[in-house]
Amino acid sequence: QVQLVESGGGLVQPGGSLSVSCAASGSIFSFGTMGWYRQAPGKQRELVAKIDSDYWTVYADSVKGRFTISRDNAKKLVYLQMNSLKPEDTAVYYCTGDVNGNNAWGQGTQVTVSS
């Protein structure tokens, strides 16, 4: 059974930085495109960033220049470095991706940007 487990969320002040991580565990033979989505209260889940196995990245316009997605294929880890955080970045952040040919999702981690 493949699992994605996020960690690193929390409370940060506007303008601050936070990093969230996603660890894939289980019997993994294929670790494809991975990404981060977020869902704020009362809003639809939206793509934040994604990265393929060749390290090509795509970002939502709202986070370009502030967020950086990265991955460690050997350790089956995916990271999201978030800088210059704004209150509107407050959401539950979900790790997702193509693991063993199936779309997997983590349980989410809360990121709150508030003074």
Side-chain angles (χ1 to χ4, degrees):
Q1 182 92 10
V2 171
Q3 282 191 315
L4 298 180
V5 179
E6 302 96 336
S7 61
L11 174 65
V12 63
Q13 291 188 340
S17 297
L18 198 64
S19 180
V20 290
S21 302
C22 172
S25 64
S27 179
I28 298 171
F29 55 83
S30 174
F31 193 55
T33 298
M34 300 297 295
W36 289 92
Y37 278 70
R38 67 186 181 187
Q39 188 166 20
K43 294 190 177 181
Q44 288 190 332
R45 193 172 295 190
E46 63 176 1
L47 174 69
V48 176
K50 60 182 178 181
I51 181 169
D52 72 11
S53 55
D54 292 323
Y55 303 95
W56 285 96
T57 57
V58 172
Y59 294 93
D61 288 343
S62 59
V63 307
K64 280 181 183 175
R66 301 188 298 122
F67 290 12
T68 302
I69 189 171
S70 60
R71 63 190 289 160
D72 183 329
N73 288 335
K75 295 182 178 178
K76 304 298 187 282
L77 292 168
V78 185
Y79 305 99
L80 184 68
Q81 175 66 41
M82 302 178 286
N83 298 327
S84 301
L85 282 159
K86 305 175 181 180
E88 52 262 43
D89 294 317
T90 296
V92 177
Y93 283 70
Y94 296 91
C95 176
T96 183
D98 178 7
V99 184
N100 295 346
N102 297 312
N103 186 228
W105 286 85
Q107 81 289 350
T109 185
Q110 177 70 46
V111 172
T112 302
V113 185
S114 175
S115 55

